[in-house]
Amino acid sequence: MKKKEVLVLEDLLGSNKKIASEIRNKLKERGILTINFLSSPGAGKTSLLEKIARRLKPQYKMSVIEGDIETERDADRIRAQGIPAWQITTGGACHLEAKMVGKILSQIPSDSDFLFIENVGNLVCPASYDLGESIRCVLLSTPEGDDKPKKYPKAFSTSQCLIITKSDLSSTLPFDFDRAQKEAQSINPQLHTFITSAEKEKGVEELANFFLSSLKNLRKKNA
Amino acid sequence: MHELSIVANLFETLKEKAREKGAQKILMVKLKVGALSGVVPEFLETAFDSYKKGTLASEAQLKIEKVPFRIQCQDCQTEMTRNDFVLICSQCGSTNLKTLSGTELLLEKIEMEVE
Ligand SMILES: Nc1nc2c(ncn2[C@@H]2O[C@H](COP(=O)(O)OP(=O)(O)O)[C@@H](O)[C@H]2O)c(=O)[nH]1
Ligand SMILES: [Mg+2]
Ligand SMILES: [Zn+2]
């Protein structure tokens, strides 16, 4: 018997990254813009998706993947909008992984314009898993407080968009929009910020327009 | 707690590498964990210890090297460690920074016993 040291230098998330980049390429080729929503539970991901669906539905085709630990509830809410939705129940796992998305990829209508993925409610773990999205959005609701970016840096540093949700509640809360936005931008200077209220239908149009222009860019690159 | 799923993946790799090298036993596993890797080293240790039972790594020691978040200013070239992950140069205030380290999550090396 002898001891042997083997140098490996392997990324522990490498297999997820590989699957994610295959998914990204496939979706881009089909001209589908994929958007991954990250937030803590209850920040308003499903509510915002319902409003976005209502706005995009008349002209665009969207598909939605819902990630939850249990239940079909969120997928049912999206289906009630007349939008095809797939529920992934992770059975305990706190995040979605690329291979879970990969399994339903062939069922996503290839004439979709947008694929939205609502991740499992958790501001930590989903940040480490690329799902093959083109745009990652982190949602922060006003009741959660304006000091969250530095507490959950990875979610903010790996996103392209910050969506501050439930703006209608801010009058009764000590939430400082400027502070939240500045703190998030200090760890991610490229971050685009949107302020929305699903309840009062505020800011949804700006966000939908951003997704539309991103879709145009993706298709321009394909052409 | 995605550390569990990461450790499950790690054991797949360990099994594969041990088979490749014809090893009967794994003695030590060394990881590099960046401050902005999104995982908690202590959770990795706990998961590793419960996972290793009954495997060829049952007596293996897990070593974790914590890697700080280091950035370099692309305007004044200053290198710095930022424990708060802020991408602003402490020398000149520039926001044009390059990440040098701290996002990695690596299996660096394995020590095993071979015939
Ligand atoms: N006041 C207010 N409540 C909201 C808003 N968006 C969502 N909610 C409420 O917040 C709760 C959680 O919303 P949901 O969309 O299910 O959050 P998710 O877990 O992130 O998908 C529900 O009771 C919603 O009615 C909003 O813009 N304003
Ligand atoms: Mg939801
Ligand atoms: Zn500088």
Side-chain angles (χ1 to χ4, degrees), chain A residues 38-50 66 68 74 77 118-119 121 139 141-143 165-169 196-202:
Chain A
L38 254 62
S39 81
S40 55
K45 298 180 293 301
T46 313
S47 305
L48 189 58
L49 278 176
E50 288 170 321
E66 286 289 344
D68 269 302
D74 282 2
R77 281 170 65 183
E118 178 180 338
N119 221 308
L139 282 71
S141 64
T142 53
T165 60
K166 307 192 189 180
S167 65
D168 57 289
L169 298 177
T196 64
S197 163
E199 186 67 24
K200 303 274 182 237
E201 295 228 22
K202 288 233 173 86

